[in-house]
Amino acid sequence: MATQAADRPAETQASGAAPEAVVVRFAGDSGDGMQLTGGQFTLSTALAGNDLATFPDFPAEIRAPQGTLFGVSAFQINFGSTQIDTAGDAPDVLVAMNPAALKVNLAALKPGGLIIADTGEFTKRNLDKAKYESNPLEDGSLAKWDVLAFDISALTIEAVKPFGLGNKDALRSKNMWTLGLALWMFDRDRQPIVDWLKAKFKAKPEIADANIAALNAGHAYGETAEISGPLKKVSIPPVESDPGLYRTITGAESVSLGLVAGAQLAELPMFFGGYPITPASAILHHLARLKEFGVTTFQAEDEIAAICAAIGASYAGQLGVTSSSGPGIALKGEAMGLAIMTELPLVIVNSQRGGPSTGLPTKTEQSDLYQAVYGRNGDAPMPVIAARSPADAFDVAIEACRIAVEYMTPVMLLTDGYIANAAEPWKVPDPESYAKFPVRFLKEKNAGDTLLPYRRDEKGARPWIKPGTPGLMHRIGGIEKHVETGNIDYSPANHQAMTDARKAKIDEIAVPDQDVALGESTGRLAVVGWGSTFGPIHQAVRRARRRGLSVSHIHVRHIWPLPKNLGELLAGFDRVLVPEMNTGQFKTVLRDQLLIDAESLTKTSGQPFAIAELEEAIGKYFDDIPDNEGGEVPADAQQLPVSASGHDDGSLRPERRSPQSKVNP
């Protein structure tokens, strides 16, 4: 075991008070089980009553070469006894299972933070793979952090020896040993993890027992080893919460449950047509387990088949739903136009990721906004709404279902990779608190002895007619229809009337007035966000307001159409800043629709905004330096992977490569 103690102010070392919040990052090879470790630590944290937010961060490669920089997988959790809105800017604790994990994640660790490293993996071969010229655990390069380094691999092998596992199989329990140590550090109960392991490996009890032994050994190591210096047991009290039933939930789970709830409130069975794509695939996985709620799931042969099947289900009288991410949404574009032309309800979930094309499959971005609002041929208006967090996605999914069936239109629901994969506590709502919006199918002719399938109600919606209803045969399809009869009609006046009718229906959708998430309704600066930027914006605005700055946070759920009062609300501020993980798309929508001189703060590094980045951007509006506001946030040290860390991404010509970035032939 090796330890290094960082220099830090005496008052910090002497302080025995428990912190309000702690950020822990587990990092290792893709095969080290870091996502599973983080997920189970999240479970134990939720059961302890802490508020939390997580950020799973993993490579796009299905299985990158073991020990390499671009194969590092990480899971970050921010938890505490206070309100938690983000996964945290910088970790307090970094658990590094190998040299590559240390190198990729080290720059993000707070000065004075704790590194827990497995010396068993810091071999010459692994150090070479991570582009280290010397062992950082021994060369003094980690002096500004606390370091606790010991042979986790050997301790794990010893712990599971009674179960007769070979070294390779034994090392698969290494993540459980590490989890046991983390549970001891933060005073967590092991029993829920033990129960989970027994259930997961019910068919292989010897594997369950080995993992439980490793878990207990890691916990006992922290409890009994005479470790001097950095490793301390920290008890963080539970957060004050309203009484009720709580559970942790990811965005994908939340969307899935919200879609089922929306279908139930509409009193409809639901059909989901999907095709696997990261990070949207989890929605199909979750919905496939909910058949008892009238859910039919269909994994189609491609994206186009998936949405067309969902449209067919809507035509047949079910609530059609489909889901994808950026490239798949592009493929679905023509069929979205068909759903708009036929005026059938359809919910389209877009779990955004970095683009364009294949782009960054496992990294987060908000760059599909133009595609959602404008991205179809012809004048094809469609409502667009965005979830701000994993828990919020439940209510947003219900709202998407309501709009779809009440206005007979497809609706796009925007999440992103961060929301889909991240988790947070969710207070399970009372089902009776949601108003039902039951569908009424047309069962008889609506104009005397004549059927007018495009006669509209007070909301501009045409009637929904199940095929096979006696006497209600009508034409449907993608060619322009007569304004009432639905017969094919190419005439200029009719096309103008139908184009206007489709647009007016969407423009007049009743959406709630926009509120102010934090601060006053007027002031010097409004920070306007949408989607997953909610957490960092909220925390940054809260910190700025504590310093006395006149700044408010406004977060928009209804992207299209916008809330009717939004223009008047934003006009009450001297300046408007719009942070988004794209090149300024929502800023353009606000300028176009509201004639507001909004300014962009953009970030397209594949990582969420940090609170500090937004806090700095807000401060520039109050520093009396002209024209330094807004702009672009540069890629930070947490971007994975980076050529500066030694990973050769192909951008450097051989003659320009540093000695640290040599690659094997």
Side-chain angles (χ1 to χ4, degrees):
M1 181 181 73
T3 62
Q4 297 179 22
D7 294 330
R8 62 181 66 197
E11 64 269 21
T12 303
Q13 292 191 39
S15 174
E20 282 192 340
V22 173
V23 180
V24 178
R25 181 180 293 188
F26 300 93
D29 194 73
S30 292
D32 284 337
M34 293 298 94
Q35 304 305 319
L36 186 148
T37 302
Q40 292 307 305
F41 187 77
T42 299
L43 170 64
S44 68
T45 300
L47 291 172
N50 297 133
D51 198 8
L52 63 92
T54 70
F55 178 38
D57 196 5
F58 40 87
E61 290 83 359
I62 293 174
R63 187 64 189 271
Q66 190 171 2
T68 57
L69 294 164
F70 48 94
V72 172
S73 177
F75 186 102
Q76 183 162 308
I77 176 171
N78 182 13
F79 60 97
S81 58
T82 186
Q83 179 182 339
I84 302 295
D85 291 311
T86 78
D89 282 9
D92 300 286
V93 179
L94 171 62
V95 179
M97 304 300 286
N98 62 16
L102 177 65
K103 190 163 197 177
V104 167
N105 293 279
L106 184 61
L109 187 65
K110 289 178 180 176
L114 174 62
I115 298 168
I116 298 176
D118 178 11
T119 58
E121 290 293 326
F122 279 70
T123 62
K124 176 69 166 59
R125 185 171 182 229
N126 284 345
L127 289 167
D128 288 343
K129 287 182 182 180
K131 315 300 179 186
Y132 275 118
E133 294 184 341
S134 62
N135 190 336
L137 302 179
E138 300 171 353
D139 63 10
S141 61
L142 305 178
K144 68 177 181 179
W145 297 282
D146 284 333
V147 179
L148 180 63
F150 48 92
D151 198 338
I152 296 175
S153 297
L155 290 167
T156 302
I157 292 172
E158 184 66 26
V160 303
K161 186 183 292 184
F163 302 96
L165 301 179
N167 281 5
K168 184 177 180 181
D169 289 333
L171 288 174
R172 289 175 179 161
S173 301
K174 188 168 61 172
N175 61 333
M176 286 296 110
W177 196 101
T178 307
L179 177 60
L181 180 64
L183 294 177
W184 173 83
M185 284 180 66
F186 297 103
D187 198 18
R188 300 280 182 259
D189 185 9
R190 281 168 287 160
Q191 192 57 46
I193 314 301
V194 171
D195 295 341
W196 174 81
L197 286 167
K198 288 181 176 179
K200 180 176 177 63
F201 297 107
K202 185 176 181 180
K204 297 180 178 179
E206 69 282 0
I207 300 298
D209 291 342
N211 278 283
I212 292 168
L215 180 80
N216 291 335
H219 191 276
Y221 187 87
E223 194 170 52
T224 61
E226 294 182 2
I227 301 174
S228 61
L231 190 63
K232 300 288 190 299
K233 191 170 186 177
V234 178
S235 294
I236 298 179
V239 67
E240 292 185 9
S241 304
D242 295 333
L245 175 64
Y246 287 82
R247 58 160 291 184
T248 58
I249 197 164
T250 67
E253 290 176 303
S254 185
V255 165
S256 302
L257 293 174
L259 290 170
V260 173
Q264 296 282 309
L265 292 169
E267 298 180 0
L268 290 173
M270 188 181 89
F271 176 93
F272 180 90
Y275 180 77
I277 184 171
T278 302
S281 302
I283 296 174
L284 172 59
H285 301 161
H286 291 304
L287 287 174
R289 305 186 189 107
L290 300 174
K291 293 181 175 64
E292 66 269 27
F293 296 105
V295 178
T296 300
T297 53
F298 169 56
Q299 181 175 315
E301 65 268 31
D302 57 41
E303 298 282 8
I304 299 170
I307 187 172
C308 287
I311 293 172
S314 289
Y315 174 58
Q318 297 197 11
L319 178 59
V321 181
T322 190
S323 171
S324 191
S325 297
I329 295 295
L331 289 168
K332 295 178 189 290
E334 182 181 359
M336 290 182 209
L338 175 62
I340 290 168
M341 177 63 83
T342 55
E343 300 190 50
L344 287 168
L346 178 71
V347 177
I348 305 146
V349 183
N350 181 356
S351 302
Q352 300 168 93
R353 68 190 207 184
S357 186
T358 306
L360 307 175
T362 62
K363 307 303 178 186
T364 195
E365 212 165 80
Q366 293 180 299
S367 52
D368 293 354
L369 189 69
Y370 285 161
Q371 183 185 39
V373 174
Y374 305 117
R376 292 162 294 280
N377 66 294
D379 280 300
M382 185 168 70
V384 179
I385 59 176
R388 73 185 193 185
S389 70
D392 183 57
F394 178 81
D395 288 325
V396 173
I398 291 175
E399 176 72 347
C401 295
R402 180 191 70 81
I403 293 173
V405 300
E406 288 188 352
Y407 292 87
M408 292 293 287
T409 178
V411 179
M412 185 169 291
L413 191 168
L414 295 175
T415 70
D416 58 40
Y418 177 69
I419 291 177
N421 295 321
E424 66 178 354
W426 176 54
K427 183 179 180 181
V428 179
D430 178 3
E432 298 301 321
S433 66
Y434 290 89
K436 292 186 176 182
F437 39 90
V439 167
R440 295 290 178 262
F441 293 98
L442 189 65
K443 296 182 179 179
E444 56 187 20
K445 293 182 174 66
N446 57 353
D449 293 332
T450 305
L451 170 65
L452 298 177
Y454 281 85
R455 171 173 282 184
R456 302 178 184 279
D457 63 14
E458 67 281 357
K459 294 180 178 178
R462 78 171 186 90
W464 196 354
I465 307 170
K466 283 188 180 182
T469 303
L472 301 188
M473 186 184 298
H474 62 286
R475 287 186 173 87
I476 195 165
I479 297 179
E480 186 64 281
K481 307 294 184 298
H482 184 270
V483 69
E484 285 196 324
T485 67
N487 296 331
I488 294 173
D489 191 335
Y490 297 155
S491 68
N494 180 74
H495 181 55
Q496 181 73 60
M498 286 295 275
T499 300
D500 291 344
R502 288 188 291 263
K503 181 178 185 300
K505 178 175 69 172
I506 304 305
D507 288 346
E508 296 306 315
I509 288 175
V511 303
D513 280 349
Q514 182 62 50
D515 61 357
V516 178
L518 182 63
E520 288 76 38
S521 57
T522 60
R524 186 167 176 181
L525 176 65
V527 184
V528 180
W530 66 278
S532 65
T533 57
F534 177 86
I537 292 176
H538 206 67
Q539 291 288 357
V541 169
R542 178 180 285 120
R543 293 180 185 179
R545 289 180 59 80
R546 286 175 182 166
R547 302 201 311 271
L549 303 184
S550 176
V551 56
S552 298
H553 175 199
I554 296 170
H555 216 76
V556 181
R557 170 183 285 183
H558 291 269
I559 305 296
W560 195 274
L562 292 166
K564 295 288 193 293
N565 70 323
L566 183 58
E568 182 180 355
L569 179 61
L570 295 183
F573 293 88
D574 298 337
R575 307 285 290 274
V576 174
L577 176 66
V578 186
E580 25 184 354
M581 293 183 290
N582 57 46
T583 55
Q585 296 182 20
F586 191 49
K587 173 265 299 180
T588 302
V589 172
L590 293 177
R591 285 183 171 185
D592 169 41
Q593 294 295 301
L594 306 177
L595 302 180
I596 295 292
D597 188 19
E599 298 166 298
S600 281
L601 181 72
T602 65
K603 183 174 183 178
T604 54
S605 64
Q607 299 285 322
F609 277 104
I611 301 169
E613 292 169 343
L614 293 168
E615 199 173 3
E616 180 183 4
I618 290 169
K620 291 180 178 179
Y621 285 84
F622 300 88
D623 63 8
D624 298 323
I625 300 174
D627 302 323
N628 70 328
E629 302 92 349
E632 180 179 279
V633 174
D636 58 39
Q638 299 183 52
Q639 179 65 24
L640 308 178
V642 291
S643 54
S645 69
H647 168 54
D648 176 22
D649 60 2
S651 64
L652 300 177
R653 296 194 300 273
E655 66 273 15
R656 297 180 62 188
R657 290 177 182 154
S658 66
Q660 289 78 21
S661 63
K662 291 178 181 178
V663 294
N664 295 323

